[in-house]
Amino acid sequence: MINDAIERLKRGKDLTSGLMRAAMSEIMTGGASFDEIASFLIALKDKTETPDEISAAASVLREEAITIRPQVTR
C-alpha cells in the first residue's frame, strides 16, 4: 500500500483517506522499510499535505499509540 501512496504523491495527487490510513498503518506496524518511509514523507512534503491527509494520519497515530500510565510516588 505504501508504494501505491508514494507513486500517487509523486504524480502530485492527493491521497484518499483510506490510502493515507493504509500507508500510515503499514508504517506504524513495521511493514514499511526505512527507504519507503523516507520516500513517502518526502513525496508528501513535496506535494503539500491536505487537511484530510493529516487527519487520516493522526487518526492512525492515535489508534496505534500506547497509553503510558506512570506510577507517581510522593
Side-chain angles (χ1 to χ4, degrees):
M1 271 296 146
I2 194 165
N3 288 314
D4 295 339
I6 292 166
E7 289 307 312
R8 186 172 174 87
L9 290 168
K10 285 182 177 180
R11 291 192 315 267
K13 303 290 184 184
D14 294 341
L15 300 181
T16 64
S17 179
L19 186 53
M20 176 57 107
R21 289 182 57 79
M24 287 300 296
S25 291
E26 195 170 333
I27 291 169
M28 294 299 294
T29 59
S33 71
F34 176 82
D35 290 339
E36 288 171 328
I37 296 168
S39 293
F40 175 77
L41 293 174
I42 291 167
L44 187 61
K45 178 193 170 291
D46 288 346
K47 183 201 64 83
T48 305
E49 309 85 350
T50 66
D52 288 341
E53 290 166 342
I54 294 169
S55 176
S59 176
V60 172
L61 292 173
R62 281 191 301 273
E63 290 168 8
E64 296 294 330
I66 297 170
T67 301
I68 298 173
R69 299 192 193 290
Q71 189 174 34
V72 178
T73 59
R74 294 184 187 222

